[in-house]
């Protein structure tokens, strides 16, 4: 029998209540509900989004979107124009204050659908707010999946 009271947290991960898991879930729920205010409120004051990581049509310089103004602009450019975004994650990996998901994000826009396969990470700060959201998916591969619904 293992004494979970005395074992280190990394050997006894509380998956249901892990701060990054909760922050990531709030983020996805706000996106699915089309609730920009809730999505923005989930972030730490210095929160950031890199989706995808590196240069893209959402971030030509590949530096990410930071702070309330940057996050709001990202929402308006990347999320608001969509009809829906569905998160289909197959694997969850928790390390420290971060969680990584492996899976697919399915986006519907303008009567079309695309699928971004990748790794999607969420990092919570010490208060449980979302400090960083990073999405590793290939723009070219996702664009090739673009097709009518």
């Amino acid at each position: 029998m293992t004494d979970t009271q005395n074992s280190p947290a990394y050997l006894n991960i509380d998956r249901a209540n892990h701060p990054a898991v909760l922050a990531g879930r709030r983020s996805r729920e706000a996106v699915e509900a089309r609730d920009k205010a809730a999505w923005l409120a989930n972030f730490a004051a210095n929160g950031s989004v890199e989706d995808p990581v590196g240069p893209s049509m959402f971030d030509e310089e590949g530096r990410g979107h930071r702070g309330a103004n940057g996050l709001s602009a990202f929402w308006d450019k990347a999320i608001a124009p969509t009809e829906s975004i569905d998160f289909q994650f197959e694997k969850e990996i928790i390390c420290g204050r971060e969680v990584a998901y492996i899976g697919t994000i399915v986006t519907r826009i303008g009567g079309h659908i695309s699928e971004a396969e990748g790794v999607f990470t969420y990092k919570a700060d010490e208060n449980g707010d979302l400090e960083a959201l990073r999405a590793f998916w290939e723009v070219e591969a996702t664009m090739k999946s673009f097709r009518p619904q």
Side-chain angles (χ1 to χ4, degrees):
M1 190 185 294
T2 307
D3 181 5
T4 58
Q5 296 272 40
N6 296 322
S7 66
Y10 57 83
L11 294 179
N12 189 34
I13 296 171
D14 181 358
R15 291 184 175 280
N17 298 301
H18 189 277
V21 170
L22 296 175
R25 184 178 307 135
R26 288 190 305 268
S27 175
R28 294 187 303 278
E29 288 172 351
V31 168
E32 290 170 348
R34 320 300 290 166
D35 189 341
K36 180 180 179 180
W39 188 76
L40 292 171
N42 186 42
F43 280 90
N46 64 342
S48 67
V49 169
E50 295 176 74
D51 184 357
V53 171
S56 74
M57 59 284 207
F58 304 127
D59 180 10
E60 293 292 330
E61 295 180 7
R63 295 183 179 181
H65 308 269
R66 294 176 179 7
N69 290 339
L71 296 171
S72 180
F74 173 79
W75 176 282
D76 293 344
K77 193 174 201 178
I79 299 171
T82 67
E83 296 159 13
S84 68
I85 299 176
D86 182 33
F87 302 89
Q88 300 175 355
F89 296 156
E90 300 159 11
K91 187 159 178 99
E92 174 184 85
I93 304 165
I94 297 173
C95 297
R97 290 187 292 120
E98 300 188 56
V99 60
Y101 293 98
I102 299 170
T104 305
I105 294 179
V106 179
T107 302
R108 289 173 178 78
I109 185 169
H112 290 77
I113 189 169
S114 68
E115 297 172 308
E117 295 180 340
V119 178
F120 308 91
T121 68
Y122 301 85
K123 181 178 182 181
D125 70 7
E126 56 280 345
N127 299 315
D129 294 326
L130 188 55
E131 184 176 321
L133 186 165
R134 301 181 80 213
F136 297 83
W137 54 274
E138 294 179 7
V139 173
E140 184 176 10
T142 300
M143 290 176 75
K144 286 180 181 176
S145 77
F146 194 73
R147 62 195 181 279
Q149 289 189 50

